[in-house]
Amino acid sequence: MEPVIRTKNLTKHYGNTPVLRNLDLTITAGEFTAVMGPSGSGKSTLMNVLSTIDRFSGGEVWVKEQSLLDLNKNELRRFRQEHVGFIFQDYNLLDTLTVKENILLPLSLRGFKTGEMEARLGPLVSALQIGEVLERYPHEISGGQKQRASSARALITKPDIVFADEPTGALDSRSATQLLEQLAQLNGSFGTTILMVTHDSYAASYCQRVIFLRDGSVVNELYAGGQSRKTFYERILDTQSMLGGQAG
């Protein structure tokens, strides 16, 4: 599979403090990958850099073989709109729009015709099981439904990669499990590449690959392969323990 993201000697400093240190990483098309690590490990910074939200200090980053060093601020914004989707912990839904209007907003802003928007909406509504809430407003639905709506909004543009920032962090266990199962299904059915930052071993166990960061460097990686999710979950826990305890 071709790489969606590549980094070489990636570094990021805040003042004199190094947050990412000479990090080499490849995310291939169709992967569902988790990034884990303790507080201060650099996992959120890595996501912000890879998603073009934040600039890096050194090294190189390629997204879809496009070097981010070659893009100015306006080009980065346009590139982000066309190639990247986001799922946030706090949903970021607009209260004045219905669920359907929130999901379709990225396409509306880009001038898509109604027919094309509806064609893209249908499969996502079915996969994420949100048909009954499309005409409701965010304050009228549950946290789990909000996060599934947020996921649909991220996916409706058919991005090359979706970045999920602690997507289960504000959900109860039942809603979290439902969301993770649906993201795994979308990854399998549509081949959507997903990079998820999480502190939760249970959430990470739904991924195909887990990257562990410490002090801004990759210190370990696990691949699910053909093992059961339960076995993979136990391996993630063991690795966290070996690396210094539960990630935060």
Side-chain angles (χ1 to χ4, degrees):
M1 299 292 286
E2 67 178 11
V4 175
I5 288 176
R6 289 190 298 122
T7 74
K8 182 177 181 180
N9 297 327
L10 176 64
T11 62
K12 174 66 178 178
H13 295 80
Y14 290 111
N16 294 321
T17 304
V19 182
L20 301 176
R21 305 167 186 260
N22 299 317
L23 196 148
D24 295 339
L25 183 66
T26 299
I27 304 294
T28 58
E31 275 194 320
F32 188 3
T33 303
V35 177
M36 304 190 74
S39 296
S41 62
K43 57 186 185 293
S44 294
T45 298
L46 177 62
M47 187 184 74
N48 289 339
V49 166
L50 297 182
S51 64
T52 76
I53 289 176
D54 199 2
R55 286 284 198 175
F56 48 98
S57 305
E60 290 195 71
V61 178
W62 296 267
V63 179
K64 291 290 289 182
E65 296 304 313
Q66 168 68 62
S67 173
L68 300 187
L69 289 173
D70 296 336
L71 303 179
N72 62 35
K73 186 175 180 180
N74 289 334
E75 290 170 334
L76 281 171
R77 184 178 66 249
R78 192 159 54 246
F79 187 83
R80 187 162 56 243
Q81 291 172 343
E82 293 175 358
H83 297 282
V84 176
F86 295 94
I87 302 173
F88 301 99
Q89 180 177 341
D90 58 358
Y91 323 125
N92 280 16
L93 299 174
L94 298 177
D95 291 334
T96 56
L97 300 181
T98 65
V99 168
K100 181 178 180 179
E101 290 167 341
N102 267 285
I103 295 170
L104 295 178
L105 183 60
L107 299 185
S108 298
L109 293 174
R110 289 166 59 181
F112 275 67
K113 294 181 179 180
T114 301
E116 173 65 14
M117 291 194 291
E118 293 290 344
R120 291 193 182 196
L121 180 66
L124 292 174
V125 168
S126 177
L128 290 163
Q129 300 177 23
I130 51 175
E132 75 279 6
V133 301
L134 285 180
E135 301 306 325
R136 298 181 191 174
Y137 289 87
H139 72 273
E140 298 175 320
I141 63 177
S142 69
Q145 290 166 331
K146 289 178 184 177
Q147 194 58 292
R148 299 205 301 277
S150 176
S151 301
R153 182 186 57 194
L155 292 160
I156 196 117
T157 60
K158 297 184 178 179
D160 293 301
I161 185 165
V162 171
F163 292 92
D165 183 10
E166 300 279 7
T168 61
L171 303 181
D172 59 59
S173 58
R174 181 176 177 274
S175 296
T177 296
Q178 187 175 27
L179 176 68
L180 290 163
E181 288 175 347
Q182 289 164 340
L183 287 177
Q185 176 191 336
L186 287 164
N187 168 256
S189 300
F190 298 105
T192 304
T193 308
I194 304 172
L195 184 66
M196 176 174 69
V197 167
T198 183
H199 69 279
D200 185 358
S201 300
Y202 177 76
S205 71
Y206 280 84
C207 298
Q208 301 154 357
R209 174 188 180 195
V210 181
I211 298 168
F212 295 89
L213 296 187
R214 185 169 60 194
D215 297 328
S217 299
V218 175
V219 293
N220 208 333
E221 293 186 49
L222 295 178
Y223 289 84
Q227 64 196 300
S228 69
R229 193 181 61 77
K230 182 176 183 295
T231 299
F232 193 41
Y233 172 58
E234 291 169 350
R235 287 184 63 206
I236 295 168
L237 288 175
D238 289 344
T239 301
Q240 282 185 303
S241 177
M242 179 184 69
L243 294 176
Q246 182 72 21

